[in-house]
């Protein structure tokens, strides 16, 4: 394949849904696989939906994921600008060209007239009447009222330009995922192409820019499928049909129960993130949780997204980005929606934590210790990470699993010791603690512990759990003598003595 150019074209309207990141990922994998370019284009022509900060947030999400575009508003490129609002001037000519050729028309209807039309045609079979081939001749536009049009234009009456959808034509195209797709144009409305303020709508801008930016393959969510016929006609009407990109409409990401598209609200209700990173709405100040802050590694996030709609055809589930670049193919992307399963998502993260080196994990988990107000010495944390990482699913779990290495546990489950406690045991611990050397490693501590237990006629096995609870606070953690070695002898003695006093 030659000169592959793909694009991710988000509208900066809020947080980035995981489905959006999956679209980025599939674009990126395809581009890398074919030595092509991956472009980020910001589709900000809808001023009403524009949210300040959303563009920077999208860039930050891509940076977090390590999916850097080759061309974007941030890095520029040969087809700049990459922000549609900055390209405003170039769209109107294309809209006029369409009007002149008879493929589009001026429409002067006021919002009240549009509302009136909807009320008039609303019925049980047609609950939301649209501006289409059946209705257009009853409205105020250059097709229905050619004689008035010139007058209205001269008088400066506000207008939009609408596409004139054919009454009854079959539009078809080959989708790289869905195969042959057919539409009857009679079902589509006459979409607005150019708004009264001179801004293009998404429909015009996406076609013009995909053309001007020489996009060869267009990946986008399945929710855009109904817009495809209008887009395909625009490619044809503008005379560019032979340069139209190949389409790939990606399967929806579904709610965990499989009923409907996964929304931000489902995440809020079920307690899992849906956005890539935390997103704070600038108007309401409300923050929606992101995978990053929840403690996902970007490697795991990408891996789980890759598998939401694709598989390699083998048992393999864990893939690095490089492996994905090598193995990803559109033939293996399925048409059906992919159910989102948060437990499975966490499993990917756990696997990636296991796979990751201490050097990789350390800088990511230190902030969680800081947030928890724990001063974790990085060197000691580096020793601790390999001991506890098997028990961590999300990055904040390192704090839960590792806090006791850095501070005396606030709460100790002494009750769990009490049940099987005895004066012999009390005496044993007292002596072992008193006789602890200045410094010792896990192996020698274990040896002395077992020897002294045998000498006192006690089963070492029955003493290990109390020791663990004394040092850790509860019944968890890695090898108890390794813990003692890391926290040091003075701290070990202190923790034991503290509980012995409570138990005495
Ligand atoms: N601007 C559209 C969006 O927000 C892009 C759709 C497309 O890729 O064509 O999703």
């Amino acid at each position: 394949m030659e000169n592959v150019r793909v694009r991710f074209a988000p509208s900066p309207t809020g947080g980035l849904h995981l489905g959006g990141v999956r679209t980025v990922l599939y674009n990126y994998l395809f581009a890398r696989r074919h030595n092509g370019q991956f472009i980020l284009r910001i589709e900000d022509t809808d001023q009403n939906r524009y949210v300040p900060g959303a563009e920077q947030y999208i860039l930050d999400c891509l940076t977090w994921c390590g999916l850097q575009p080759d061309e974007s508003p941030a890095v520029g490129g040969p087809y700049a600008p990459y922000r549609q609002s900055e390209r405003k001037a170039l769209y109107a000519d294309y809209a006029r060209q369409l009007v002149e050729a008879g493929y589009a028309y001026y429409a002067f209807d006021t919002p009240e007239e549009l509302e009136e039309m909807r009320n008039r045609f609303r019925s049980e079979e047609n609950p939301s009447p649209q501006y289409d081939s059946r209705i257009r001749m009853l409205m105020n536009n250059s097709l229905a009222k050619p004689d008035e049009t010139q007058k209205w234009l001269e008088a400066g009456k506000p207008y939009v330009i609408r596409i004139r959808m054919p009454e009854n034509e079959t539009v078809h195209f080959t989708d790289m995922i869905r195969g042959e797709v057919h539409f009857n144009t009679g079902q589509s409305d006459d979409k607005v192409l150019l708004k009264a303020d001179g801004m293009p709508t998404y429909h015009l801008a996406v076609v013009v820019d995909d053309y001007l930016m020489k996009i060869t393959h267009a990946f986008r969510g399945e929710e855009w499928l109904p817009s495809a016929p209008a887009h395909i006609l625009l490619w044809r009407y503008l005379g560019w049909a032979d340069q139209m990109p190949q389409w790939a409409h990606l399967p929806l990401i579904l709610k965990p129960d499989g009923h409907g598209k996964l929304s931000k609200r489902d995440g809020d209700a079920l307690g899992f993130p849906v956005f890539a990173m935390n997103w704070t709405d600038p108007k309401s100040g409300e923050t929606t949780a992101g995978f990053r802050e929840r403690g996902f590694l970007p490697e795991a996030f990408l891996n789980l997204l890759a598998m939401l709609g694709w598989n390699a055809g083998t048992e393999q589930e864990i893939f690095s980005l490089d492996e994905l670049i090598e193995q990803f193919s559109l033939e293996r992307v399925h048409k059906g929606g992919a159910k989102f399963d948060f437990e499975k998502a966490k499993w990917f993260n756990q696997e990636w934590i296991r796979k990751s080196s201490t050097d990789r994990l350390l800088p990511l988990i230190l902030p969680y210790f800081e947030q928890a107000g724990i001063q974790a010495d990085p060197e000691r944390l580096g020793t601790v990470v390999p001991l506890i990482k098997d028990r961590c699913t999300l990055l904040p779990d390192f704090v839960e699993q590792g806090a006791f290495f850095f501070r005396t546990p606030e709460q100790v489950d002494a009750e769990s010791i009490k049940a099987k406690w005895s004066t012999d045991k009390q005496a044993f611990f007292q002596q072992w603690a008193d006789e602890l050397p200045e410094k010792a490693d896990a192996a020698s501590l274990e040896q002395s512990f077992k020897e002294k237990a045998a000498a006192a006629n006690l089963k070492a096995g029955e003493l290990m759990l109390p020791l663990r609870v004394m040092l850790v606070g509860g019944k968890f953690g890695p090898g108890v003598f390794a813990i003692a070695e890391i926290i040091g002898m003075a701290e070990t003695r202190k923790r034991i003595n503290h509980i012995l006093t409570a138990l005495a």
Side-chain angles (χ1 to χ4, degrees):
M1 233 178 276
E2 262 173 67
N3 293 338
V4 163
R5 290 179 57 80
V6 297
R7 87 299 193 272
F8 176 54
S11 299
T13 54
L16 185 57
H17 188 280
L18 64 103
V21 186
R22 189 193 57 178
T23 304
V24 178
L25 177 64
Y26 287 14
N27 267 297
Y28 181 91
L29 296 175
F30 192 80
R32 288 293 163 269
R33 167 100 206 206
H34 298 287
N35 294 317
Q37 266 85 44
F38 163 52
I39 291 114
L40 173 70
R41 182 175 70 224
I42 298 293
E43 302 208 323
D44 57 349
T45 56
D46 190 344
Q47 300 292 302
N48 296 328
R49 293 180 63 225
Y50 179 80
V51 176
E55 179 185 321
Q56 187 55 47
Y57 165 91
I58 292 167
L59 291 169
D60 293 345
C61 288
L62 300 197
T63 302
W64 175 59
C65 292
L67 302 175
Q68 293 300 357
D70 302 301
E71 300 166 25
S72 74
V75 299
Y79 300 90
Y82 292 91
R83 207 176 275 125
Q84 286 181 330
S85 58
E86 290 169 16
R87 304 168 64 81
K88 179 178 173 187
L90 61 84
Y91 303 104
D93 282 348
Y94 294 105
R96 291 219 173 80
Q97 181 185 323
L98 290 166
V99 175
E100 269 151 40
Y103 295 125
Y105 58 90
Y106 297 110
F108 300 89
D109 315 272
T110 62
E112 295 73 33
E113 285 161 354
L114 291 172
E115 184 56 29
E116 200 265 325
M117 176 274 279
R118 276 182 225 114
N119 292 337
R120 180 141 60 104
F121 293 99
R122 189 169 294 123
S123 67
E124 220 159 276
E125 308 86 75
N126 190 9
S128 40
Q130 43 180 18
Y131 203 119
D132 60 16
S133 58
R134 281 162 299 178
I135 280 169
R136 70 166 84 101
M137 293 313 277
L138 305 169
M139 304 298 290
N140 289 325
N141 56 57
S142 55
L143 297 178
K145 313 241 167 98
D147 297 343
E148 331 242 3
T149 300
Q150 198 50 37
K151 221 173 47 205
W152 283 336
L153 285 176
E154 274 159 25
K157 189 167 160 69
Y159 65 84
V160 301
I161 292 180
R162 289 182 180 269
I163 184 171
R164 177 184 188 170
M165 288 298 278
E167 269 133 70
N168 181 19
E169 207 183 295
T170 306
V171 173
H172 51 93
F173 68 98
T174 311
D175 187 280
M176 288 188 284
I177 295 166
R178 326 183 76 79
E180 275 308 294
V181 184
H182 301 261
F183 289 96
N184 187 292
T185 53
Q187 272 133 37
S188 301
D189 62 331
D190 287 354
K191 291 185 195 320
V192 173
L193 302 178
L194 197 76
K195 291 179 275 188
D197 62 0
M199 267 288 191
T201 59
Y202 156 67
H203 302 290
L204 178 63
V206 74
V207 171
V208 169
D209 284 342
D210 281 351
Y211 168 73
L212 294 176
M213 295 181 178
K214 299 201 163 50
I215 299 304
T216 57
H217 299 79
F219 301 84
R220 60 183 181 187
E222 189 187 304
E223 62 274 27
W224 294 104
L225 201 53
S227 303
H231 298 171
I232 284 158
L233 288 175
L234 286 173
W235 278 93
R236 205 190 285 164
Y237 294 163
L238 288 162
W240 305 330
D242 57 338
Q243 287 160 77
M244 188 172 79
Q246 277 187 268
W247 300 97
H249 289 89
L250 308 178
L252 292 178
I253 297 181
L254 304 174
K255 296 179 202 293
D257 65 8
H259 292 122
K261 200 178 147 188
L262 180 73
S263 75
K264 169 177 110 59
R265 256 171 287 128
D266 300 315
D268 294 344
L270 298 168
F272 56 75
V274 167
F275 288 162
M277 303 185 336
N278 273 10
W279 163 253
T280 303
D281 185 278
K283 263 204 209 120
S284 66
E286 186 198 337
T287 296
T288 308
F291 278 85
R292 182 180 72 170
E293 290 76 5
R294 190 65 182 263
F296 277 78
L297 291 167
E299 296 91 325
F301 186 49
L302 293 184
N303 192 162
L304 73 93
L305 289 179
M307 305 307 282
L308 276 173
W310 172 84
N311 65 71
T314 61
E315 294 289 292
Q316 187 178 351
E317 289 188 279
I318 299 298
F319 292 89
S320 67
L321 191 55
D322 284 342
E323 288 171 313
L324 286 172
I325 292 170
E326 208 163 283
Q327 298 198 33
F328 182 78
S329 73
L330 281 171
E331 292 81 62
R332 298 210 64 88
V333 173
H334 30 88
K335 292 195 209 57
K339 268 192 231 171
F340 179 71
D341 175 352
F342 190 53
E343 290 310 311
K344 184 75 190 195
K346 287 196 292 189
W347 175 82
F348 278 106
N349 206 52
Q350 187 173 27
E351 293 294 312
W352 270 99
I353 286 179
R354 277 195 194 143
K355 254 175 87 87
S356 299
S357 70
T358 303
D359 284 348
R360 168 74 183 128
L361 293 169
L362 211 48
L364 298 175
I365 58 184
L366 269 166
Y368 290 101
F369 280 88
E370 270 163 37
Q371 269 169 38
I374 300 169
Q375 286 208 331
D377 165 52
E379 207 183 307
R380 182 182 286 190
L381 189 55
T383 319
V384 167
V385 164
L387 298 179
I388 61 173
K389 70 177 182 178
D390 276 0
R391 297 159 212 270
C392 297
T393 304
L394 297 169
L395 294 174
D397 295 348
F398 278 94
V399 176
E400 204 176 295
Q401 294 293 331
F404 63 83
F405 283 101
F406 304 95
R407 67 170 184 209
T408 312
E410 278 159 13
Q411 306 243 313
V412 176
D413 182 13
E415 286 305 308
S416 69
I417 304 182
K418 256 190 196 152
K420 289 189 179 165
W421 201 237
S422 66
T423 45
D424 287 355
K425 288 181 180 172
Q426 177 97 9
F428 164 81
F429 272 101
Q430 196 59 69
Q431 193 197 354
W432 190 68
D434 288 347
E435 289 172 10
L436 277 174
E438 284 282 290
K439 255 181 110 115
D441 62 15
S444 67
L445 286 169
E446 180 168 4
Q447 200 191 345
S448 81
F449 191 84
K450 286 188 171 156
E451 279 170 10
K452 292 210 164 95
N457 251 331
L458 290 165
K459 285 194 192 117
E462 280 181 21
L463 300 167
M464 305 273 258
L465 191 67
L467 178 61
R468 171 175 299 284
V469 174
M470 290 173 196
L471 299 187
V472 173
K475 299 177 194 166
F476 64 96
V480 71
F481 299 106
I483 296 172
E485 177 186 339
I486 292 171
I487 63 176
M489 294 307 103
E491 180 66 18
T492 300
R493 190 178 301 120
K494 189 180 116 194
R495 292 187 192 183
I496 293 174
N497 281 333
H498 178 69
I499 303 304
L500 290 181
T501 315
L503 288 168

